[in-house]
Amino acid sequence: MTDISDFAPDFTLPTTGSGEIQLSALRGAPVVLFFYPRDDTSGCTREALDFTALAPEFDQIGAHVIGISKDSIAKHEKFREKHDLTVPLASDEHAAACEDYGVWVEKKMYGKTFMGIERATFLIGADGRVARVWRKVKVPGHAQEVLEAARAELQRPSSQ
């Protein structure tokens, strides 16, 4: 399980807009990875909209924000278009990154047990180390809290 001060596990994933993201290529700038269960569900939509609303502020401090779920790129594109999302969404269809970050977990709902993504966010410093982790995220106010943590991370001498 990835935790504070660990080097963030590297990955290369396809993203919306016919792109691809390699985490290690973003070194030198803070990165926010928000893992979410599924496109177009109420909590996931709210979270993606909140990060989109704050995208200009993340851009202003040079931070990259990336949403990650197991949904396909086709689903991500529909989700992004439907809600005018501006943050890139990465597809981790085989759950490799989800497993590396410890968010692919056993969940229970309505008496059934299944594997799924636990909503979690990782703030990765410019040095590639995990600076902050939020697990079992509650969506209201979360994106703003992450923005404030990213701003604080930029003030730390070790992230220069």
Side-chain angles (χ1 to χ4, degrees):
M1 182 179 309
T2 302
D3 212 345
I4 294 173
S5 81
D6 291 348
F7 275 105
D10 196 18
F11 58 79
T12 301
L13 294 172
T15 61
T16 48
S18 300
E20 185 176 83
I21 193 116
Q22 181 178 14
L23 183 63
S24 58
L26 302 177
R27 281 240 176 107
V31 177
V32 173
L33 302 177
F34 69 97
F35 289 87
Y36 64 97
R38 278 206 333 248
D39 289 342
D40 225 11
T41 57
S42 60
C44 298
T45 300
R46 179 78 263 149
E47 185 176 27
L49 286 168
D50 289 350
F51 276 110
T52 288
L54 293 173
E57 294 183 59
F58 280 103
D59 288 345
Q60 195 172 48
I61 63 170
H64 301 277
V65 177
I66 303 150
I68 302 174
S69 81
K70 282 189 49 143
D71 288 315
S72 68
I73 287 298
K75 278 192 76 181
H76 279 344
E77 292 289 2
K78 286 179 188 167
F79 180 47
R80 197 168 184 212
E81 190 173 307
K82 179 178 179 181
H83 297 286
D84 294 320
L85 303 175
T86 60
V87 294
L89 303 176
S91 175
D92 186 21
E93 288 190 79
H94 301 291
C98 292
E99 286 184 18
D100 286 346
Y101 282 82
V103 301
W104 186 243
V105 298
E106 191 173 273
K107 298 171 96 175
K108 292 181 183 185
M109 186 183 292
Y110 307 120
K112 293 186 179 192
T113 301
F114 60 97
M115 294 301 290
I117 295 175
E118 173 185 85
R119 189 182 312 279
T121 302
F122 295 79
L123 172 60
I124 301 164
D127 61 357
R129 289 186 181 272
V130 176
R132 187 90 189 266
V133 178
W134 293 263
R135 294 196 182 274
K136 297 183 181 176
V137 166
K138 302 292 183 230
V139 173
H142 177 64
Q144 183 66 46
E145 183 182 343
V146 174
L147 176 61
E148 289 165 15
R151 284 181 177 142
E153 176 63 18
L154 286 171
Q155 302 305 313
R156 287 173 22 123
S158 64
S159 68
Q160 300 296 316

